[in-house]
């Protein structure tokens, strides 16, 4: 197995280099030393041999070499729930999928679900995941299980505990009024206040103050959503991010209900969560706003002015009926965009090729006027945009000094025959079948489609061992949600009858 202390020569591939040919790539060798790209050029094998330098060769003949994708918005906590739901609006989905609805999970399940999610990401060419993980009720052993799983499988991870201090029922329009009081305890959302522990304080004392140099696991902060966090919690988050130099990830305006909540609850900020966050000091280059579907134009301009980033999640936005994000308006304003695949229970696929294709096609279908090429912008969001989101300018590109997070795509796959445009065929044609080899930090993690760092079959056995208990608990929760549907439907009707100043869902009416 290649380690990041060895020299690895990726030989004779076609590489998508910054400012290079986006259609045919550049025929070259890539020399990796100590996990970083040392040199790019032709004939490097002969040169190294002549110098008496030892190296391992990874033959990239008939391979397209691309930067590893960065999944900039992902939750490992529900990877076992892929395929459990069909058409489910966001507010209903929350009651079916999210950790506060479930009994406390086992450490074995935490480990297994983290591993299977990481494997799916790697097989789709993702070398980095930003895991906004909810562990509820919080248990330090569960946090350890997540980190151990990432370290063992070899993916690069930026982990943020998701936290909040306002109960979910307080943050969704009409729920308190519509649902009978006896059902209120069941109306949780992504993260609930945990009275037994101050997660931020624990995270700082246990994790942030004890860095582990050289680890592929890094940190971010994860306030669940502004409406679920008090001003004091937002200000603590901003202070911690500044002290430790951390990126911040949060959800905003994912659904119309979230936009309506802002209009109803924050009149002092003009009904805008963006204005609220600017006043509380959270906007800026450290902050990443996942979804951002229901942004108004003046809010987009504030994001551009403050350098705040947006992570687009087209798979879940469409499946959960949340709407079409204003991608082109964000691009025109100069907002940096990244891409995420979100929860397995609502996107069903950790597949960046699907996300890139939807990213581009949603721009096409949402604006009748001809615009700039979107395939290159989608690929950029999946690579350099994601690197910008996690504050890593040494990721998302193939260049000397960058970390060697690389993916080799099989150009003999029918998707690339003939090769007319590597960029367009990656975005519009590829589905993940062509991913052959994945290198993270100079280490081969996927080789010819199989996991190289662990016994893949044993990993799958670990997952299947915990599935029966998950399915048993999901069945109980699904039955409970079924009894709540009349009130869910009434709250949903009221939300959609309200005016929030824009419409991001095409209804044909």
């Amino acid at each position: 197995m290649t380690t990041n202390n060895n020299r690895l020569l990726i030989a004779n591939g076609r590489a998508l280099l910054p400012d290079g040919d986006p259609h045919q790539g550049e025929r070259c060798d890539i020399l990796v030393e100590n996990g970083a790209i040392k040199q790019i050029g032709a004939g490097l094998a002969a040169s190294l041999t002549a110098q008496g330098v030892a190296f391992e060769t990874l033959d990239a003949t008939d391979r397209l070499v691309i930067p590893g994708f960065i999944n900039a918005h992902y939750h490992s906590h529900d990877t076992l729930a892929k395929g459990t739901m069909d058409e489910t609006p966001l507010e209903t989905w929350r009651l079916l999928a999210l950790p506060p609805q479930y009994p406390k999970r086992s450490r074995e399940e935490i480990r297994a679900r983290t591993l299977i999610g990481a494997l799916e990401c790697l097989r789709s060419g993702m070398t980095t995941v930003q895991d906004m993980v909810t562990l509820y009720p919080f248990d330090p052993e569960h946090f350890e299980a997540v980190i151990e799983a990432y370290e063992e499988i070899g993916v690069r991870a930026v982990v943020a505990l998701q936290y909040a201090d306002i109960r979910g029922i307080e943050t969704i329009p009409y729920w308190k009024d519509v649902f009978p009081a006896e059902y209120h305890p069941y109306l949780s959302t992504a993260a609930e206040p945990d009275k037994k522990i101050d997660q931020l304080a624990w995270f700082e004392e246990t994790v942030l103050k004890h860095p582990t140099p050289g680890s592929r696991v890094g940190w971010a902060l994860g306030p669940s959503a502004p409406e679920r966090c008090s001003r004091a919690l937002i200000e603590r988050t901003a202070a911690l991010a500044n002290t430790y130099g951390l990126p911040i990830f949060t959800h905003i305006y994912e659904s119309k209900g979230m936009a309506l909540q802002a209009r109803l609850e924050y009149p002092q900020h003009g009904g805008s969560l963006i204005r609220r966050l600017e006043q509380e000091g959270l906007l800026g280059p450290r902050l990443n706003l996942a979804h951002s579907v229901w942004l108004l134009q003046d809010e987009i301009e504030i994001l551009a002015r403050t350098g705040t980033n947006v992570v687009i999640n087209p798979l879940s936005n469409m499946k959960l009926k949340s709407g079409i994000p204003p991608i082109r308006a964000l691009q025109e304003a100069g907002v940096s965009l990244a891409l995420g695949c979100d929860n397995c229970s609502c996107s069903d696929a950790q597949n960046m090729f699907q996300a890139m294709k939807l990213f581009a096609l949603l721009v096409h279908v949402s604006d009748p006027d001809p615009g700039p090429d979107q395939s290159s912008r989608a690929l950029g969001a999946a690579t350099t945009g994601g690197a910008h989101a996690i504050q890593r300018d040494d990721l998302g590109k193939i260049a000397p000094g960058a970390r060697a997070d690389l993916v080799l795509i099989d150009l003999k796959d029918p998707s690339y025959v003939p090769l007319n445009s590597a960029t367009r065929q990656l975005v519009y044609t590829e589905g993940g079948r062509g991913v052959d080899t994945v290198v993270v930090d100079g280490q081969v993690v996927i080789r010819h489609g199989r996991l190289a760092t662990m016994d893949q079959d044993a990993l799958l056995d670990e997952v299947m061992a915990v599935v029966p208990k998950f399915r048993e608990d999901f069945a109980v929760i699904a039955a409970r949600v079924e009894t709540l549907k009349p009130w869910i439907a009434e709250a949903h009707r009221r939300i959609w009858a309200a005016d929030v100043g824009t419409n991001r869902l095409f209804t044909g009416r």
Side-chain angles (χ1 to χ4, degrees):
M1 183 187 301
T2 303
T3 68
N4 65 2
N5 294 316
N6 292 337
R7 292 183 184 88
L8 173 68
L9 186 70
I10 301 173
N12 199 37
R14 291 178 183 260
L16 289 184
L17 304 179
D19 303 318
D21 183 348
H23 305 303
Q24 297 299 315
E26 308 289 338
R27 180 75 68 183
C28 62
D29 300 333
I30 301 170
L31 176 62
V32 175
E33 288 188 9
N34 300 319
I37 297 172
K38 177 74 172 179
Q39 189 177 354
I40 300 172
L44 294 186
S47 176
L48 292 169
T49 301
Q51 298 172 52
V53 175
F55 60 93
E56 177 185 345
T57 299
L58 183 59
D59 185 8
T61 303
D62 296 321
R63 299 292 185 265
L64 178 70
V65 186
I66 65 172
F69 298 134
I70 296 168
N71 189 349
H73 187 65
Y74 164 64
H75 304 277
S76 66
H77 48 248
D78 70 339
T79 61
L80 302 183
K82 60 176 71 79
T84 56
M85 295 172 237
D86 212 295
E87 184 185 61
T88 310
L90 178 73
E91 283 74 22
T92 308
W93 166 81
R94 286 169 170 158
L95 300 177
L96 287 162
L98 299 181
Q101 292 291 327
Y102 285 75
K104 184 176 179 179
R105 314 319 293 162
S106 67
R107 193 184 198 281
E108 291 76 16
E109 182 178 309
I110 303 291
R111 171 183 160 83
R113 73 191 192 190
T114 306
L115 287 172
I116 193 63
L119 176 59
E120 186 177 357
C121 288
L122 287 165
R123 287 289 305 275
S124 177
M126 300 179 207
T127 52
T128 300
V129 297
Q130 192 288 301
D131 187 1
M132 194 175 179
V133 60
T134 302
L135 301 174
Y136 187 90
F138 182 75
D139 186 330
E141 284 196 8
H142 288 181
F143 180 81
E144 291 168 4
V146 170
I147 305 310
E148 288 170 6
Y150 281 135
E151 293 280 16
E152 187 171 355
I153 199 168
V155 74
R156 194 182 298 279
V158 178
V159 178
L161 287 171
Q162 187 170 190
Y163 54 84
D165 62 352
I166 298 174
R167 294 171 60 231
I169 191 174
E170 307 289 344
T171 66
I172 300 176
Y174 311 120
W175 271 21
K176 284 186 75 173
D177 297 334
V178 166
F179 285 87
E182 61 266 30
Y183 295 120
H184 286 190
Y186 299 125
L187 303 181
S188 64
T189 183
E192 292 289 299
D194 194 333
K195 296 179 181 178
K196 295 181 179 179
I197 190 168
D198 182 334
Q199 278 195 37
L200 265 187
W202 180 90
F203 191 55
E204 180 179 20
E205 291 298 321
T206 307
V207 178
L208 299 182
K209 289 185 176 181
H210 306 279
T212 52
S215 173
R216 293 179 194 167
V217 177
W219 314 116
L221 298 175
S224 182
E227 67 271 20
R228 300 172 207 148
C229 298
S230 65
R231 180 182 184 117
L233 190 57
I234 291 294
E235 290 176 346
R236 283 182 67 195
T237 297
L240 261 183
N242 290 332
T243 297
Y244 293 96
L246 300 177
I248 307 164
F249 290 82
T250 192
H251 304 83
I252 203 164
Y253 293 158
E254 182 174 358
S255 68
K256 185 176 182 180
M258 294 172 77
L260 179 60
Q261 181 72 5
R263 309 292 185 268
L264 296 174
E265 294 298 319
Y266 300 102
Q268 70 273 34
H269 301 294
S272 168
L273 285 172
I274 301 301
R275 291 193 180 89
R276 178 197 160 190
L277 292 181
E278 183 175 30
Q279 186 181 92
E280 294 173 353
L282 203 65
L283 294 189
R286 294 194 188 284
L287 180 63
N288 298 275
L289 300 174
H291 303 294
S292 303
V293 175
W294 290 80
L295 287 168
L296 300 175
Q297 184 58 41
D298 64 321
E299 294 177 314
I300 292 173
E301 291 165 4
I302 294 171
L303 298 184
R305 171 171 53 79
T306 57
T308 303
N309 313 304
V310 166
V311 185
I312 302 296
N313 296 272
L315 296 165
S316 59
N317 290 162
M318 294 184 73
K319 187 171 183 188
L320 296 181
K321 303 169 75 74
S322 295
I324 300 174
I327 299 171
R328 186 158 164 187
L330 288 160
Q331 290 172 338
E332 291 173 350
V335 175
S336 180
L337 301 182
L339 261 176
C341 294
D342 209 3
N343 297 69
C344 287
S345 63
C346 64
S347 71
D348 297 304
Q350 296 307 313
N351 188 314
M352 194 58 77
F353 299 103
Q354 290 186 10
M356 290 191 297
K357 186 170 185 174
L358 279 176
F359 176 102
L361 295 182
L362 286 175
V363 179
H364 298 174
V365 78
S366 61
D367 196 316
D369 296 326
D373 169 80
Q374 287 297 327
S375 59
S376 61
R377 285 162 175 77
L379 183 59
T383 53
T384 53
H388 183 76
I390 61 173
Q391 300 182 333
R392 290 290 300 265
D393 61 5
D394 60 347
L395 298 178
K397 60 187 177 185
I398 303 176
R403 302 308 295 176
D405 289 12
L406 305 167
V407 177
L408 277 60
I409 304 289
D410 182 4
L411 290 177
K412 288 189 173 181
D413 186 273
S415 295
Y416 300 97
V417 181
L419 185 65
N420 294 314
S421 170
T423 296
R424 291 176 189 146
Q425 283 163 263
L426 280 169
V427 172
Y428 295 122
T429 311
E430 177 65 81
R433 185 179 60 209
V435 173
D436 177 76
T437 301
V438 178
V439 178
V440 181
D441 214 35
Q443 179 182 8
V444 175
V445 178
I446 299 290
R447 191 187 298 273
H448 305 315
R450 293 281 298 181
L451 189 59
T453 53
M454 298 177 65
D455 183 328
Q456 183 169 314
D457 293 331
L459 185 160
L460 299 178
D461 288 342
E462 276 193 65
V463 175
M464 292 311 299
V466 301
V467 165
K469 176 58 177 171
F470 167 78
R471 286 178 172 164
E472 176 185 323
D473 290 339
F474 180 82
V476 171
I477 292 162
R480 182 170 69 212
V481 171
E482 191 67 28
T483 68
L484 299 177
K485 281 191 172 178
W487 300 286
I488 293 171
E490 174 60 18
H492 183 76
R493 184 193 65 78
R494 293 191 190 185
I495 288 170
W496 280 96
D499 180 10
V500 297
T502 189
N503 180 28
R504 300 293 185 193
L505 190 71
F506 177 73
T507 63
R509 296 192 294 272

